[in-house]
Amino acid sequence: MVTIIKKEKLLKYLVSPAVIYSILAGVLPVIYAFRNSLFNINIRYPMRTLKMIGFDNYINIIQTSRFQAALKNSLLFSVEGTLGALILGFAIALYLYYYVRPYPLVLTFLSTLLVVPVLAGKVTNAYMWKLLYNPVLGIINHIIRGLGFGTVEFLSNSNLAMHSIVFTDIWQWSGFIALFLYAGLASLPEEFFEEARVIGASFFQTMRYVIIPNLKGLFLAVFLLKFMISLRSFGLIKVMTGGGPGVSTETVDMYLTWLAVEGRGALSRASAGAIIMLVITIIVFTLIIKMYQGQKEGGK
Amino acid sequence: MSILEAKDITTTFEKGKVVANDNVNLNIEDGEFFVLLGPSGCGKSTFLRSVAGLETPDSGVMKLKGEDILDKEPAERDVAMMFQKVTLYPNMNVYDNIAFPLKIKGVDKDTIEKEVNKVLDFTQIPEKKHSNVNNLSGGEAQRAMIARVLVQDPQLFLLDEPFSSLDHQLRVHMRKEILKIHKKTGVTILFVTHNQEEAMRLGERIGIMNNGKVEQVGTPKEILKEPKNKFVAQFIGHPQINFIEGEMNTKEDKMYLQIDSKNYGPLEKSEMKEIPESKEITLGIRPEKLKIEKGKVEGENKFISEIDLVEDTGTDVYINFNFGDASLQAEVPETEEWEMGEEITFSFEKRDLILFDESGDRIK
């Protein structure tokens, strides 16, 4: 008995540095940002008298059309990029499962290739794709012109720019996601697939009724992970378009950076914007998880 | 009439390095309960999977009700399969699992409900209709899988060692259930197992496989009494058959078996359906056919030995003893006391002998 208690205490001591770090690095900055958002701090006027203005910053920023546009872009980028990477990732995972799995060496080789875009990092990928999209030097336009079409302004057309950046993001992440989903497919008993074959289910029926429902938890986890990553799109968009043309590809993190540091110096207002973004993220995540848990308890 | 005809089925893996099925020929009659029995790795599951369409043989012909099926997809073959693992889908409840094959085929909801309820009643789990499959007991899960097969109304019901992961009690219970289902529905069943007791209890006919080949096909009685070769004799029967190596000697019209420098016989040449060419023979005698007397009893065709080990299972008693190079086992009455080191005399009837030539084939 004494030994068990001692072990528990030891575990607490060993885990506590990680807990302390999480609190310091995660929770404290949020509390500090929230505190700042209630004041009138502007880094351009450091000598200004500190005054508590309550939720005025929140009201102001919500009413700002540029913030609204940035929020829309963030959500568009995150949802489109996440869904796109999930769908393409699943297609790659299925290909690996059905056609490559019998050849372990080929599987290892392809798995390594699939991870390279993520390992390269968003800045490297951003520069590469910026060049690929280039209207004069880019190979994509070279092929388009060769097919008899005109040049496409992927990054300077405000209607196309965001989608072009999303495509780069999908390209970067779908391989990585494919490996997660492949592991999920491989964890299912082979008999699930065989039973469906003997019963007479087509490929799509097997996916719809058997495979996807049994991998729901994994899909959810991957969706949330990728969504979270997408909200931190600063590096990719900054390099590819800088938020332009105009502010058509500006996301919330880019806008807040400009607001707090590059442009206006309105640190408190930017903090309010960041807290709003945090709250939206928590709400979205909670809703999705609740939805999943509700379905799980339904007995299906 | 044969519902399944398999001719010269050969299946190999790893570019021919592994021969799973080697010219397998099998016919299964309509309404028959046929068991394919053999040790692990003998190719019985590969054959079953070939019938289902999950494996493609390299060569051969396979017909289901007269129609070639080898180039048909599993769904087109009108067979249903039950796997060793529980393959009820955890994302569906019991009703939806059973309804799934009909839903896939586009059957209307009312018909699905009627058919599913029918098989639920038949397999005696109607109260589990809306249960989560993870909450089913082992037996209930097996019955739900059987229900899912029955609802498909197949020509041929394929079972791939479905009870091998169950505990003994449940296994015995499920055997009775499957026999009842067979009797009630008359469905043709191809059942694969490595358990010879299961095969003997269930099969109307048994096909014994070894190293990809079919060694023998017959009723349980035929296989037990007239095994084609040593492998079959050894695989069937509990406890395992005893083998004694010996030599065949001929004197005038009579034949004698020389075992451990003593002669057993005579065997009239007219008693033998065939005369073996070789001198070396193996005598096979089942443990329950050995006659054991206590002490040293002199007489013709009697042999002396000493008890090496006594095994008392509670219901049966077996003694182990050596004779020459052979280690033998005999069933003895439990009403008597048997001790290690005790001298015994054993003998056997001619009619209980099974003789094998030097290649291992039975001498008829």
Side-chain angles (χ1 to χ4, degrees):
Chain A
M1 236 1 236
V2 174
T3 317
I4 291 165
I5 292 166
K6 270 192 182 162
K7 266 190 187 167
E8 280 178 355
K9 270 200 177 148
L10 179 66
L11 278 167
K12 279 183 193 165
Y13 291 138
L14 289 173
V15 163
S16 51
V19 173
I20 292 166
Y21 175 78
S22 300
I23 292 169
L24 287 175
V27 177
L28 281 184
V30 173
I31 296 171
Y32 188 61
F34 179 67
R35 178 258 176 193
N36 288 341
S37 69
L38 302 174
F39 286 83
N40 63 341
I41 304 164
N42 191 309
I43 60 173
R44 284 195 177 178
Y45 309 103
M47 304 310 291
R48 185 201 270 178
T49 317
L50 202 62
K51 197 168 111 189
M52 199 193 188
I53 57 171
F55 288 94
D56 281 1
N57 282 322
Y58 288 89
I59 296 163
N60 277 326
I61 200 166
I62 285 168
Q63 290 172 341
T64 308
S65 55
R66 196 168 160 182
F67 177 75
Q68 290 166 7
L71 191 60
K72 196 171 143 204
N73 279 338
S74 279
L75 291 174
L76 176 82
F77 180 84
S78 301
V79 171
E80 217 177 278
T82 303
L83 286 177
L86 211 54
I87 292 167
L88 183 58
F90 190 49
I92 295 169
L94 286 171
Y95 177 78
L96 291 177
Y97 185 81
Y98 279 105
Y99 295 104
V100 184
R101 198 165 59 123
Y103 311 101
L105 281 176
V106 178
L107 184 64
T108 308
F109 175 69
L110 283 180
S111 302
T112 315
L113 270 185
L114 287 169
V115 176
V116 165
V118 168
L119 293 175
K122 56 177 107 156
V123 173
T124 313
N125 292 329
Y127 275 113
M128 186 178 82
W129 277 91
K130 196 170 172 178
L131 187 59
L132 286 170
Y133 282 138
N134 190 286
V136 176
L137 302 167
I139 195 166
I140 296 173
N141 268 304
H142 185 76
I143 294 168
I144 290 171
R145 283 192 294 268
L147 291 170
F149 299 101
T151 302
V152 179
E153 304 279 351
F154 286 103
L155 297 178
S156 32
N157 180 326
S158 56
N159 290 322
L160 278 180
M162 199 53 173
H163 300 296
S164 304
I165 299 170
V166 167
F167 185 82
T168 305
D169 183 57
I170 291 171
W171 172 87
Q172 181 177 0
W173 287 98
S174 48
F176 189 75
I177 284 170
L179 295 180
F180 275 97
L181 297 180
Y182 170 78
L185 284 170
S187 72
L188 292 175
E190 246 185 278
E191 287 84 357
F192 273 20
F193 296 85
E194 289 180 337
E195 177 75 58
R197 261 184 88 189
V198 178
I199 282 173
S202 67
F203 172 79
F204 291 107
Q205 285 172 323
T206 306
M207 289 302 124
R208 184 181 162 192
Y209 294 113
V210 178
I211 305 306
I212 294 171
N214 279 298
L215 291 180
K216 236 192 235 175
L218 179 64
F219 276 109
L220 177 73
V222 171
F223 178 89
L224 292 176
L225 181 72
K226 175 64 180 74
F227 194 86
M228 224 164 58
I229 291 165
S230 297
L231 290 172
R232 282 137 189 77
S233 51
F234 187 89
L236 189 74
I237 303 175
K238 187 75 177 169
V239 168
M240 290 186 84
T241 58
V247 291
S248 61
T249 60
E250 190 179 63
T251 50
V252 169
D253 46 357
M254 294 185 74
Y255 169 67
L256 294 179
T257 308
W258 171 84
L259 187 64
V261 180
E262 292 171 5
R264 299 269 300 278
L267 188 76
S268 282
R269 195 169 293 176
S271 298
I275 298 292
I276 289 170
M277 203 56 198
L278 177 67
V279 168
I280 291 172
T281 310
I282 291 170
I283 290 170
V284 166
F285 272 45
T286 308
L287 279 172
I288 292 171
I289 290 168
K290 283 259 181 258
M291 230 165 60
Y292 168 73
Q293 282 175 341
Q295 277 200 343
K296 219 177 158 195
E297 278 155 23
K300 289 205 170 207
Chain B
M1 179 204 147
S2 289
I3 204 165
L4 180 78
E5 294 166 63
K7 208 172 166 232
D8 300 327
I9 294 290
T10 298
T11 311
T12 62
F13 297 113
E14 288 175 45
K15 293 185 185 160
K17 283 186 201 162
V18 177
V19 181
N21 288 158
D22 190 355
N23 286 301
V24 168
N25 287 280
L26 270 181
N27 282 0
I28 297 172
E29 305 303 316
D30 197 1
E32 188 175 30
F33 197 130
F34 190 97
V35 176
L36 206 49
L37 170 70
S40 296
C42 71
K44 55 193 188 295
S45 286
T46 304
F47 180 78
L48 188 89
R49 288 166 64 83
S50 304
V51 177
L54 298 172
E55 300 290 355
T56 308
D58 298 352
S59 61
V61 173
M62 199 179 288
K63 289 186 182 180
L64 189 67
K65 274 219 156 163
E67 267 185 59
D68 271 308
I69 56 168
L70 284 183
D71 53 358
K72 285 189 178 174
E73 282 298 307
E76 295 168 318
R77 294 186 184 204
D78 202 9
V79 298
M81 188 158 167
M82 195 165 145
F83 293 84
Q84 193 174 340
K85 279 192 183 149
V86 174
T87 53
L88 295 170
Y89 297 124
N91 58 299
M92 303 176 198
N93 62 19
V94 172
Y95 180 92
D96 290 334
N97 261 287
I98 297 169
F100 186 56
L102 300 179
K103 186 176 176 179
I104 292 297
K105 289 185 170 90
V107 175
D108 66 276
K109 270 191 174 163
D110 292 330
T111 310
I112 290 179
E113 198 174 338
K114 191 174 127 208
E115 294 299 319
V116 172
N117 285 331
K118 199 166 98 183
V119 296
L120 278 169
D121 287 334
F122 190 82
T123 50
Q124 296 169 332
I125 47 165
E127 74 284 0
K128 296 287 171 184
K129 200 158 134 170
H130 299 296
S131 296
N132 187 318
V133 297
N134 295 318
N135 297 335
L136 298 177
S137 68
E140 287 164 349
Q142 292 281 328
R143 279 194 239 159
M145 290 207 289
I146 291 172
R148 188 167 63 181
V149 165
L150 289 175
V151 89
Q152 298 172 66
D153 195 22
Q155 297 271 22
L156 184 57
F157 184 174
L158 307 170
L159 294 102
D160 189 3
E161 304 199 58
F163 310 143
S164 58
S165 55
L166 304 179
D167 62 67
H168 177 75
Q169 216 170 350
L170 188 54
R171 200 168 179 157
V172 167
H173 175 74
M174 288 312 302
R175 272 184 219 156
K176 289 182 190 160
E177 292 291 312
I178 201 83
L179 274 174
K180 274 189 218 165
I181 287 166
H182 177 245
K183 285 211 158 45
K184 270 192 190 165
T185 63
V187 67
T188 313
I189 294 178
L190 174 56
F191 188 104
V192 159
T193 183
H194 62 266
N195 184 312
Q196 55 112 353
E197 190 202 338
E198 197 161 75
M200 297 296 269
R201 283 182 187 270
L202 292 175
E204 286 170 337
R205 277 196 310 149
I206 303 172
I208 300 199
M209 282 189 76
N210 185 33
N211 288 330
K213 289 185 159 77
V214 176
E215 298 285 352
Q216 187 172 358
V217 175
T219 63
K221 207 172 178 177
E222 280 167 3
I223 288 180
L224 194 68
K225 293 249 181 301
E226 296 168 11
K228 201 169 159 198
N229 54 38
K230 276 169 85 173
F231 171 79
V232 176
Q234 208 167 355
F235 201 77
I236 285 284
H238 181 76
Q240 210 175 63
I241 194 171
N242 294 303
F243 286 135
I244 308 172
E245 303 300 323
E247 261 184 29
M248 184 85 82
N249 291 317
T250 315
K251 246 188 198 173
E252 291 153 11
D253 263 348
K254 297 190 201 306
M255 297 168 83
Y256 291 86
L257 306 170
Q258 191 184 348
I259 43 177
D260 197 39
S261 70
K262 211 186 162 186
N263 271 341
Y264 177 90
L267 300 168
E268 302 289 332
K269 273 192 181 166
S270 55
E271 287 175 310
M272 312 278 289
K273 284 190 185 147
E274 55 184 63
I275 309 296
E277 284 175 17
S278 64
K279 264 191 108 179
E280 278 97 34
I281 48 104
T282 306
L283 273 85
I285 184 92
R286 300 231 175 250
E288 62 273 15
K289 299 293 182 191
L290 276 171
K291 287 200 176 88
I292 307 291
E293 292 168 278
K294 279 177 173 281
K296 200 172 175 174
V297 178
E298 294 291 346
E300 229 179 72
N301 294 333
K302 285 187 192 281
F303 305 90
I304 316 293
S305 186
E306 208 177 88
I307 296 178
D308 207 23
L309 184 71
V310 181
E311 287 178 272
D312 189 345
T313 66
T315 49
D316 304 300
V317 180
Y318 299 98
I319 54 166
N320 294 281
F321 53 94
N322 293 320
F323 188 71
D325 290 328
S327 178
L328 308 178
Q329 194 176 54
E331 193 178 340
V332 289
E334 50 155 347
T335 47
E336 295 186 47
E337 288 294 318
W338 304 90
E339 278 173 22
M340 263 173 67
E342 190 181 333
E343 215 169 23
I344 48 126
T345 304
F346 71 91
S347 56
F348 39 84
E349 299 285 331
K350 252 188 281 186
R351 62 166 184 265
D352 294 329
L353 263 183
I354 311 174
L355 299 175
F356 302 95
D357 64 24
E358 64 179 357
S359 66
D361 292 330
R362 184 169 65 90
I363 302 163
K364 288 177 192 156

